[in-house]
Amino acid sequence: MAKQLIELIVNGDRYEVAVEPGASLAEVLREELYLTGTKVGCNQGDCGACTVLVDGRSVSSCLTLAVEAHQREVTTIEGLAPSGETLHPLQEAFIEKGAVQCGFCSAGMILAAKALLDRNPAPSPEEIRHGLSGNLCRCTGYVKIVEAIQAASLKLAAGKEAR
Amino acid sequence: MPTPRFTFHQPQNLEQALDLVGMYRTNGKILAGGTDLVPKLRAGLMDVHHVVSLNRVPGLNRITFHEDDGLVIGAGARLADVALNPEVMKHYPGLAHACSVMATTQIRNMGTVAGNIVNSAPSADTAAPLLAYKAAVILVERGGRRHVPLTEFFSGPGLNVMEPMEIMEAIRVPSPPRRSGSAYLRLSARSKVDIAAVGVAGFLALDMDGVIIEARLALAAVAPTPLRCPEAEAMLAGQKPDPQLLTRAAAACVRACRPIDDVRATAAYRRKMVQVLAGRVIEQCYQTAERGDA
Ligand SMILES: Cc1cc2nc3c(=O)[nH]c(=O)nc-3n(C[C@H](O)[C@H](O)[C@H](O)COP(=O)(O)OP(=O)(O)OC[C@H]3O[C@@H](n4cnc5c(N)ncnc54)[C@H](O)[C@@H]3O)c2cc1C
Ligand code: FES
Ligand code: FES
């Protein structure tokens, strides 16, 4: 069973990769493209650590076959701070509010939060909790994460007004 | 975990998909959202050599509603899109609710209603509301097309009447009458993510005097397949609900179920919860029906 050549558009960059049809997008991002910001926790869709955006929607990259992402736009945590210097407001808020402890869930949390804010720029704490119901955190107890996302939503709204 | 090995096919239209599914009917599998299939492929429990993806077949993800024809949910329609579709929310609130609380945001962005039905888990969250709405599925194969009422679709845990060369093209749901109401309630150990331990869906249509003309009740996760409750439905037809009738109809729902003990709940707990939820569902359906806005 031959590898299949696919084209991935990850954080705006085009990659041609030969992948096993059974390989997950998470595996290919981490092991072929060395984008190791995406984490794999459960590998079965439960924990959300592997969350990435495909055409703007949050998905579990551990259950997405890489071949299915052929010519689709993938956003990983690396894509939120492309320069590596200026952080995305969500990332800043996670640091400011202490929403990161071990950090294993953070990449997935932040991408799930981005997908939420893209659809609903001013979510209530309840809506944030609903939007993040697919992302587990063993450390923080979630309170700081919800606060960080609220803070980021205010910051993003202020940024928009300023422009 | 070893990478599962198979040849992957991405047909560009339904004809091609049907050819592939026909050709590989003995060792092929159809892929939609993959949220049920991919974990199974990885577990290595199935002898699958070919995977046929429906995700490049145009038009499959449509969701359309007409007053006369009702709702058509294409096999590619994602759970999240069905949950947020304004027409589904308005006319089929039980289905919208199922699609918005089951699994997780990510899984709802990936998974399809058709995949949930074909997978045929006893606990499938969209099954009970679709049964209550009298849905039918459209199955296509190279030579033709058939409509199967959902009541005749499931045949056991993970089993249904589909032939290996068939593709589910869409799910059709009739238009609800004006004075009708519907609801779905589910229980699980955690509020979300977890597979349902009990699911109860209902639909009531009333006449101008508030008498029930037609009642439909359906259960999930309490028997080898999702199922309707004909005895309870017959009790309700021709009546106006009062607390006693609700209790009796809910008890008839309990008699319809054949629950088991498993990690999610005991059979005894499931029976008790069917009693409670069925009563609440009937009440909720009646209240929305009386407002006549559903
Ligand atoms: C973390 C997690 C949580 C979940 N929570 C829930 C839950 O709360 N409630 C619940 O009901 N389910 C739940 N599920 C199960 C699953 O997400 C749903 O059943 C989903 O709707 C399946 O759709 P899919 O498109 O991903 O199916 P796939 O995995 O693509 O397919 C499922 C099966 O149907 C077949 N198939 C799919 N489409 C077609 C078609 N058009 N024609 C013929 N055959 C087809 C496939 O061959 C396969 O056998 C959960 C899954 C995960 C991973
Ligand atoms: S690693 Fe994908 S959801 Fe847990
Ligand atoms: S910070 Fe450790 S899992 Fe969330």
Side-chain angles (χ1 to χ4, degrees):
Chain A
M1 273 154 247
K3 286 196 174 183
Q4 202 168 320
L5 198 64
I6 60 165
E7 185 182 277
L8 291 179
I9 307 154
V10 185
N11 306 325
D13 297 328
R14 269 166 208 280
Y15 299 87
E16 278 211 347
V17 236
V19 301
E20 298 269 3
S24 71
L25 180 59
E27 266 171 85
V28 170
L29 288 171
R30 290 178 51 83
E31 288 159 32
E32 304 288 334
L33 308 186
Y34 303 116
L35 294 170
T36 53
T38 302
K39 303 300 180 214
V40 176
C42 65
N43 215 22
Q44 51 187 22
D46 287 316
C47 75
C50 66
T51 304
V52 301
L53 309 185
V54 175
D55 291 343
R57 300 177 70 150
S58 62
V59 301
S60 293
S61 63
C62 70
L63 293 187
T64 304
L65 297 180
V67 280
E68 284 279 52
H70 174 56
Q71 290 182 340
R72 301 247 145 103
E73 300 252 2
V74 180
T75 306
T76 68
I77 191 68
E78 287 88 350
L80 292 200
S83 71
E85 283 159 23
T86 328
L87 294 180
H88 186 277
L90 270 165
Q91 293 170 309
E92 281 175 357
F94 266 61
I95 296 169
E96 278 163 23
K97 296 284 172 188
V100 180
Q101 287 187 23
C102 80
F104 198 82
C105 71
S106 306
M109 282 287 177
I110 288 172
L111 286 163
K114 180 172 190 310
L116 172 68
L117 294 184
D118 287 347
R119 253 187 314 110
N120 178 1
S124 66
E126 188 51 36
E127 289 170 327
I128 294 175
R129 285 177 185 276
H130 183 73
L132 294 190
S133 59
N135 292 76
L136 304 184
C137 174
R138 298 303 301 265
C139 307
T140 66
Y142 303 99
V143 173
K144 299 291 169 191
I145 292 177
V146 174
E147 284 176 17
I149 294 167
Q150 277 192 299
S153 85
L154 294 176
K155 203 184 257 182
L156 283 163
K160 254 183 217 142
E161 261 164 40
R163 245 179 284 137
Chain B
M1 219 172 284
T3 306
R5 297 183 154 259
F6 49 79
T7 305
F8 189 68
H9 306 270
Q10 282 180 316
Q12 304 294 313
N13 56 50
L14 194 60
E15 295 298 300
Q16 283 177 10
L18 288 169
D19 283 344
L20 289 162
V21 169
M23 198 152 26
Y24 302 122
R25 62 184 170 278
T26 53
N27 59 7
K29 270 284 175 191
I30 294 169
L31 177 94
T35 60
D36 278 314
L37 185 65
V38 170
K40 282 189 199 161
L41 290 173
R42 256 192 221 143
L45 300 172
M46 294 188 296
D47 188 32
V48 176
H49 297 252
H50 296 271
V51 171
V52 180
S53 164
L54 298 181
N55 293 312
R56 308 272 157 157
V57 176
L60 266 193
N61 53 7
R62 73 191 191 282
I63 304 169
T64 58
F65 176 79
H66 296 287
E67 293 283 344
D68 306 332
D69 304 344
L71 177 71
V72 177
I73 304 170
R78 265 46 198 177
L79 295 162
D81 295 325
V82 176
L84 292 175
N85 182 285
E87 238 108 40
V88 176
M89 290 167 75
K90 179 161 176 227
H91 301 288
Y92 308 94
L95 179 62
H97 181 67
C99 293
S100 69
V101 297
M102 62 187 282
T104 69
T105 311
Q106 291 87 334
I107 300 298
R108 293 192 298 270
N109 281 337
M110 303 168 73
T112 59
V113 178
N116 192 232
I117 295 301
V118 179
N119 194 56
S120 301
S123 60
D125 267 299
T126 65
L130 285 173
L131 280 168
Y133 290 122
K134 223 161 119 185
V137 296
I138 303 174
L139 307 178
V140 277
E141 64 176 300
R142 204 71 186 97
R145 192 174 247 98
R146 60 175 176 141
H147 286 227
V148 179
L150 205 56
T151 44
E152 292 162 25
F153 183 78
F154 302 111
S155 49
L159 300 173
N160 58 53
V161 302
M162 278 181 83
E163 300 290 341
M165 61 283 192
E166 281 182 317
I167 293 179
M168 185 177 290
E169 188 183 26
I171 299 161
R172 292 195 81 110
V173 198
S175 208
R178 276 217 157 271
R179 275 174 76 78
S180 65
S182 56
Y184 177 59
L185 293 177
R186 54 112 76 181
L187 271 187
S188 60
R190 292 184 289 163
S191 64
K192 301 190 174 83
V193 185
D194 240 6
I195 307 293
V198 179
V200 181
F203 167 92
L204 293 181
L206 311 183
D207 70 12
M208 292 319 286
D209 302 321
V211 175
I212 297 171
I213 307 171
E214 194 181 4
R216 291 182 228 126
L217 293 164
L219 309 177
V222 294
T225 68
L227 79 175
R228 288 262 303 266
C229 310
E231 189 195 342
E233 294 171 0
M235 271 182 195
L236 291 167
Q239 308 290 322
K240 277 190 184 184
D242 59 54
Q244 262 190 340
L245 178 62
L246 287 192
T247 310
R248 279 196 298 124
C253 290
V254 177
R255 283 194 290 280
C257 61
R258 279 165 289 153
I260 54 166
D261 290 327
D262 69 11
V263 288
R264 284 184 267 281
T266 61
Y269 176 75
R270 287 189 155 103
R271 283 204 185 84
K272 278 195 182 136
M273 290 307 109
V274 168
Q275 176 78 41
V276 174
L277 294 185
R280 283 187 201 159
V281 161
I282 299 167
E283 230 179 327
Q284 212 169 306
C285 292
Y286 194 79
Q287 278 164 7
T288 27
E290 272 200 309
R291 275 189 262 124
D293 55 1

